[in-house]
Amino acid sequence: MKTLWLALCALSRLWPGTLAGCTEAGRCCPGRDPACFARGWRLDRVYGTCFCDQACRLTGDCCFDYARACPARPCIVGEWSPWSGCANQCKPTARVRRRLVQQEPQNGGTPCPPLEERAGCMEYSTPQGQGCGHAFVPAFITTSAFNKERTRQVTSPQWSTDTEDPGYCMEFRTESLSHHCAMENRPLTRWMQYLREGYTVCVDCQPPAMNSVSLRCSGDGLDSDGNQTLHWQAIGNPRCQGTWKKVRRVDQCSCPAVHSFIFI
């Protein structure tokens, strides 16, 4: 390129006007613009019509001085704004932050990065300070076989040592689950293999998983209606997770052993 430039400079001394290009024409155009041309030497060493538009880099018909006359300028953006609040209270939603363009890209410069980012969020209280949104908390579950190791006589300091609470059972219909559940083959997590979509499962809520004040288990979905999609996650493999919908609350669970679980 330097050799070509020196040769063109020599020609300009012999024949004035031969170096006419983008600089002399005062042209630099975005995109493809057939009207953005000049007379002069092209980069492929052909003299005649040459172009000063951004697309000439692709078509190879730029004027010899395009790179100097029309330098690439990257997009420049400002700092991110603070995150907005959650769009709604008491249910999963999104928060947003944005940034502004300070300089548009020119002449094939680096394009602008994303100007908006969204992230999931949820607020668990109303503007009046009342608790809400607990139906959306994921349920953490494990096999009901674990309950054989957990006595009904609760020893948690939050519960009286002579109190035996019967708890309750929640029935759900599974909607979806990740493929990681079927891949589990470890002795203590093999129960995840039996999780299937479209089945009714039972989840027992008992102390110490049961809150001593509300007498409920986190993620039990008791406040939800039958159309609300709820989330669950298996203890022992956080990648084994999915969704289900509440069927009903009953006093005692009656599902088959492979479809019986407990809240943790």
Side-chain angles (χ1 to χ4, degrees):
M1 180 62 70
K2 183 178 181 181
T3 302
L4 175 60
W5 180 261
L6 293 174
L8 292 174
C9 288
L11 283 174
S12 68
R13 289 193 291 269
L14 295 174
W15 294 285
T18 56
L19 277 186
C22 300
T23 301
E24 185 171 317
R27 293 177 177 272
C28 283
C29 309
R32 182 58 172 164
D33 186 353
C36 189
F37 65 89
R39 294 288 296 178
W41 287 96
R42 300 191 333 197
L43 292 177
D44 57 4
R45 303 182 182 181
V46 174
Y47 185 83
T49 301
C50 59
F51 289 86
C52 305
D53 59 356
Q54 182 179 337
C56 74
R57 290 180 178 272
L58 300 176
T59 55
D61 53 6
C62 295
C63 295
F64 74 95
D65 65 341
Y66 175 79
R68 294 170 183 256
C70 308
R73 291 186 172 86
C75 175
I76 299 177
V77 297
E79 297 294 328
W80 286 110
S81 69
W83 283 104
S84 69
C86 294
N88 294 293
Q89 285 83 29
C90 305
K91 64 180 180 179
T93 181
R95 53 180 180 165
V96 182
R97 67 175 183 174
R98 297 181 176 89
R99 54 186 173 183
L100 301 176
V101 174
Q102 296 180 339
Q103 174 181 285
E104 295 285 353
Q106 298 176 8
N107 307 323
T110 305
C112 294
L115 302 177
E116 180 179 287
E117 283 188 347
R118 291 179 176 269
C121 70
M122 183 168 170
E123 294 182 0
Y124 291 92
S125 62
T126 66
Q128 292 74 34
Q130 296 179 338
C132 65
H134 299 290
F136 296 93
V137 177
F140 294 97
I141 62 170
T142 189
T143 173
S144 61
F146 177 74
N147 202 41
K148 296 177 182 178
E149 308 297 328
R150 187 169 71 175
T151 61
R152 297 294 287 268
Q153 188 72 28
V154 182
T155 59
S156 169
Q158 295 180 344
W159 294 81
S160 171
T161 55
D162 58 358
T163 299
E164 186 173 316
D165 192 283
Y168 59 94
C169 178
M170 295 299 301
E171 292 184 359
F172 301 95
R173 180 169 294 276
T174 55
E175 296 285 320
S176 67
L177 68 156
S178 65
H179 69 278
H180 298 284
C181 302
M183 298 170 62
E184 274 295 343
N185 198 34
R186 293 174 293 171
L188 297 179
T189 56
R190 194 171 296 151
W191 59 271
M192 301 179 194
Q193 295 181 353
Y194 301 102
L195 288 163
R196 295 289 187 273
E197 296 179 0
Y199 279 79
T200 297
V201 299
C202 297
V203 188
D204 212 357
C205 177
Q206 297 177 11
M210 178 187 290
N211 184 282
S212 61
V213 177
S214 65
L215 300 181
R216 290 179 55 179
C217 288
S218 179
D220 63 5
L222 197 58
D223 299 329
S224 67
D225 56 40
N227 296 319
Q228 184 176 328
T229 300
L230 307 170
H231 295 264
W232 57 266
Q233 179 178 311
I235 295 298
N237 182 359
R239 294 189 296 177
C240 177
Q241 54 186 276
T243 60
W244 56 25
K245 291 183 179 180
K246 184 188 77 174
V247 177
R248 60 176 179 166
R249 168 180 170 164
V250 294
D251 292 333
Q252 298 291 332
C253 291
S254 59
C255 296
V258 293
H259 294 153
S260 296
F261 311 100
I262 60 173
F263 291 105
I264 292 295

